[in-house]
């Protein structure tokens, strides 16, 4: 029983260390370069109910790279239109959203795509897709 408890504690710590940074979203006050992302249409409903919506940064030591990040809402929409198959079944609803970070400070580039390097708040919906 003691060994089982130790295994459980060890697994819990590994999981916690893999997600702890994701659980603390950042709100940047001085934004020079706005960050946009693509998100589920539920963002809009949650924001209208004054709930905080979070777009997650990287987790599990890079297995999840972080949310997609774009320098303009137009580039986010173009990405969506070119990659619709990534976004689920026909009829799924998506939005372009503005985030609480700075593109230069709160994202990183990998293989011609930008990702969030920390969790950020969704501040507003720019467009329904």
């Amino acid at each position: 029983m003691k060994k089982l408890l130790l295994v459980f504690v060890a697994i819990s710590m590994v999981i916690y260390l893999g997600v702890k940074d994701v659980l603390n979203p950042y709100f940047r006050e001085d934004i020079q370069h706005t960050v946009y992302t693509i998100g589920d249409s539920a963002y809009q409903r949650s924001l209208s109910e004054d709930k905080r919506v979070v777009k997650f940064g990287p987790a599990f030591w890079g297995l999840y790279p972080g949310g997609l990040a774009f320098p303009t809402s137009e580039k986010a929409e173009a990405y969506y239109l070119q990659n619709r198959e990534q976004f689920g079944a026909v009829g799924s609803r998506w939005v372009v959203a503005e985030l609480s970070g700075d593109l230069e400070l709160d994202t990183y580039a990998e293989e011609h795509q930008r990702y969030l390097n920390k969790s950020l708040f969704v501040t507003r919906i720019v467009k329904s897709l």
Side-chain angles (χ1 to χ4, degrees):
M1 184 67 161
K2 189 174 182 180
K3 286 183 181 182
L4 183 61
L5 181 61
L6 288 174
V7 169
F8 176 76
V9 169
I11 290 171
S12 297
M13 287 302 297
V14 168
I15 291 171
Y16 171 74
L17 292 172
V19 299
K20 71 180 177 69
D21 292 334
V22 170
L23 301 176
N24 296 306
Y26 189 76
F27 191 93
R28 190 170 293 285
E29 296 291 330
D30 184 27
I31 298 172
Q32 301 297 316
H33 307 95
T34 306
V35 182
Y36 298 91
T37 194
I38 299 167
D40 189 278
S41 62
Y43 287 7
Q44 193 158 10
R45 183 176 54 254
S46 296
L47 289 174
S48 70
E49 296 170 354
D50 291 327
K51 294 179 181 175
R52 291 195 166 216
V53 179
V54 176
K55 188 71 171 184
F56 293 110
F60 298 111
W61 307 278
L63 292 176
Y64 174 69
L68 294 170
F70 303 93
T72 67
S73 61
E74 293 82 10
K75 288 192 180 203
E77 182 178 5
Y79 181 90
Y80 170 80
L81 293 173
Q82 293 170 359
N83 298 280
R84 284 184 193 203
E85 68 281 353
Q86 286 183 321
F87 294 94
V90 174
S92 296
R93 304 292 299 169
W94 298 93
V95 297
V96 174
E98 185 177 303
L99 300 175
S100 66
D102 188 292
L103 185 75
E104 299 298 319
L105 301 172
D106 302 320
T107 70
Y108 68 97
E110 185 174 293
E111 297 180 21
H112 309 293
Q113 178 59 55
R114 294 195 79 77
Y115 298 93
L116 299 179
N117 65 18
K118 61 179 60 68
S119 294
L120 299 171
F121 290 105
V122 174
T123 56
R124 72 182 181 100
I125 303 302
V126 176
K127 182 176 186 173
S128 294
L129 300 172

